[in-house]
Amino acid sequence: MGQSMSSGAAASRLNGKLFQWQIQDGSQWLDVAHDDIIEAQYTLPMVEGIRLHTARHGTIYLDFDKMEIVGSNLKLKRLTFPPTQEMDEYSWYFLDDHSWREYGVQGTGSKTTLITSPDIEFQFRTAPQNVFNFNIGSSKYTIDFQAMVQTNVQTGMKRKVRRRSRFTSENQNPNSISGAVGNQTVSNPVTPCTWQFKGDRGCWMDYRRLGEGGTVCSINSQDIEQSYQQNPQGSLQFTAGHFQYRLDLSAMTQINLVTHTRRAVRRLQTPSLQGAHGSTGGNGLWQFLDEEGLWQEYSQPGILKSVSSQDIETIYQMNPQGSMRFSAGWFSYSLDFSAMTQTNLTTRKVRQVRRL
């Protein structure tokens, strides 16, 4: 992609904005107004793209992996205006079974790769056409930057790789996401959220601090939500009683660092979210109908873990009549909000979807 800057992009830079999405209309690059929506979704490694409604070109689909507008002669690019020359503007992820994991971030089984996002980003900027070789213990791996695939040299195991930006906006309220859908400006405030863990009897229990009642620990939902907004792929540690725990925001699990007991964690929004078309009702809990006729929540352990109810709800609030794509394992899926169906784009298997 070229890095030529339009007068609008130059203005964005002068105003302290760190990014600008543009679409080429003929020979002219035009700024996408209120592109915080696009940027916020681009930071999520499980989101393959976003569908937007425009006044001039109708509905268009932005493919983040290919950085193109599918089925159109229009071109897409993302300009950046970093305040420094640091190499950690982007995060690098690999698909670990059903979850996207950032390189260098502690994941399942307390394993941490020695290769970090800045390491890979440096190699990518130095030689984006090459293959990057690295070792983890006695295992040798390669990352093919053009194919965006990681390969275990000994076993031949291949995993998808993605490069995504770290979302920052100097001109944006940290508790809101604004964007343009068609010729409408959408405001999608981040509503208060309740964080819960699954107790011994299968009951969901709120995280509460001393004086708030219930199970007492060193953090509450507000603390967790603040960390989640800063980095949805990160983690945080806390204490409860005599034990220490780690909450993995990407895997949505809580781990006792002494006994290694693992519990499921979930994030619930308050009812009656306000979307682009007014109140949509419901809690924003998304489920699909499995093979046995049971409703399964997205991101539940063992289910499609590359996308969560919150991820789906965020895009749904932008356009309740639109659709989104996501990946799980080696498959890609399309979720149609209007038809309330999920389609496997390889097998064409269609499942019912519902929002509670």
Side-chain angles (χ1 to χ4, degrees):
M1 295 189 304
Q3 293 296 314
S4 59
M5 191 185 306
S6 69
S7 58
S12 296
R13 183 171 189 171
L14 290 174
N15 291 332
K17 191 177 178 183
L18 303 182
F19 60 86
Q20 178 63 59
W21 288 78
Q22 293 186 329
I23 294 176
Q24 187 184 57
D25 186 359
S27 59
Q28 183 180 10
W29 285 98
L30 301 176
D31 292 349
V32 178
H34 307 286
D35 56 349
D36 296 275
I37 282 183
I38 303 175
E39 184 72 12
Q41 295 307 305
Y42 180 60
T43 63
L44 302 175
M46 73 289 293
V47 178
E48 294 185 346
I50 186 173
R51 192 178 303 277
L52 296 179
H53 294 296
T54 67
R56 181 176 299 183
H57 303 289
T59 301
I60 58 176
Y61 181 76
L62 280 55
D63 187 316
F64 291 150
D65 286 339
K66 298 179 180 179
M67 287 301 288
E68 66 180 23
I69 299 176
V70 178
S72 171
N73 293 326
L74 301 172
K75 295 182 179 180
L76 175 70
K77 71 178 178 182
R78 173 181 177 270
L79 298 175
T80 60
F81 321 117
T84 67
Q85 296 301 315
E86 296 178 359
M87 293 291 102
D88 60 351
E89 176 192 353
Y90 289 87
S91 294
W92 284 81
Y93 303 88
F94 63 94
L95 190 59
D96 181 13
D97 295 328
H98 300 293
S99 300
W100 287 95
R101 296 282 184 183
E102 183 177 354
Y103 286 91
V105 175
Q106 195 172 48
T108 304
S110 301
K111 294 181 180 179
T112 305
T113 63
L114 299 179
I115 298 299
T116 65
S117 288
D119 296 330
I120 303 173
E121 180 66 15
F122 177 80
Q123 295 294 330
F124 176 78
R125 296 194 187 194
T126 302
Q129 308 299 323
N130 289 357
V131 172
F132 175 40
N133 298 278
F134 62 97
N135 297 337
I136 298 179
S138 60
S139 299
K140 296 182 179 181
Y141 297 87
T142 63
I143 296 179
D144 186 326
F145 291 135
Q146 288 192 299
M148 293 300 279
V149 170
Q150 170 192 292
T151 303
N152 184 311
V153 176
Q154 283 91 342
T155 67
M157 170 68 76
K158 296 182 182 294
R159 297 185 184 276
K160 289 183 178 180
V161 172
R162 278 182 177 162
R163 173 183 184 253
R164 294 297 172 88
S165 69
R166 300 180 188 270
F167 179 63
T168 53
S169 179
E170 299 297 328
N171 301 329
Q172 181 187 1
N173 184 323
N175 294 322
S176 66
I177 297 176
S178 299
V181 180
N183 57 0
Q184 297 179 333
T185 298
V186 181
S187 179
N188 185 23
V190 177
T191 58
C193 294
T194 299
W195 285 81
Q196 299 178 326
F197 64 93
K198 203 167 190 177
D200 292 330
R201 298 182 180 179
C203 298
W204 290 99
M205 307 179 68
D206 293 357
Y207 287 90
R208 297 180 185 275
R209 287 200 299 238
L210 183 64
E212 297 178 339
T215 302
V216 178
C217 59
S218 61
I219 58 173
N220 60 10
S221 290
Q222 183 177 356
D223 301 323
I224 302 172
E225 181 65 18
Q226 183 177 0
S227 294
Y228 178 81
Q229 290 296 329
Q230 293 173 352
N231 181 14
Q233 304 298 321
S235 64
L236 67 158
Q237 293 191 15
F238 64 95
T239 60
H242 299 291
F243 293 103
Q244 288 192 334
Y245 299 83
R246 185 179 73 252
L247 202 166
D248 188 326
L249 300 175
S250 176
M252 295 298 281
T253 57
Q254 168 191 296
I255 304 169
N256 186 312
L257 297 180
V258 177
T259 66
H260 302 293
T261 301
R262 191 181 301 267
R263 297 183 184 276
V265 172
R266 70 179 182 181
R267 175 177 182 261
L268 300 177
Q269 284 190 320
T270 55
S272 302
L273 294 174
Q274 295 295 320
H277 299 274
S279 178
T280 58
N283 291 312
L285 181 66
W286 287 83
Q287 298 177 329
F288 64 93
L289 197 63
D290 69 7
E291 298 285 357
E292 299 178 357
L294 301 176
W295 288 100
Q296 301 282 359
E297 181 181 348
Y298 286 89
S299 81
Q300 286 294 323
I303 310 299
L304 297 176
K305 295 169 62 178
S306 70
V307 67
S308 67
S309 283
Q310 177 57 30
D311 300 327
I312 300 172
E313 182 66 17
T314 299
I315 299 179
Y316 173 80
Q317 290 294 332
M318 298 176 193
N319 180 18
Q321 303 302 317
S323 64
M324 67 174 286
R325 291 187 183 183
F326 63 93
S327 59
W330 289 99
F331 291 106
S332 294
Y333 298 84
S334 174
L335 202 164
D336 189 323
F337 298 138
S338 180
M340 293 301 281
T341 57
Q342 168 194 293
T343 303
N344 184 312
L345 298 178
T346 301
T347 67
R348 310 310 300 179
K349 175 72 175 180
V350 179
R351 297 184 185 276
Q352 288 183 263
V353 172
R354 70 180 182 183
R355 175 179 182 268
L356 302 178

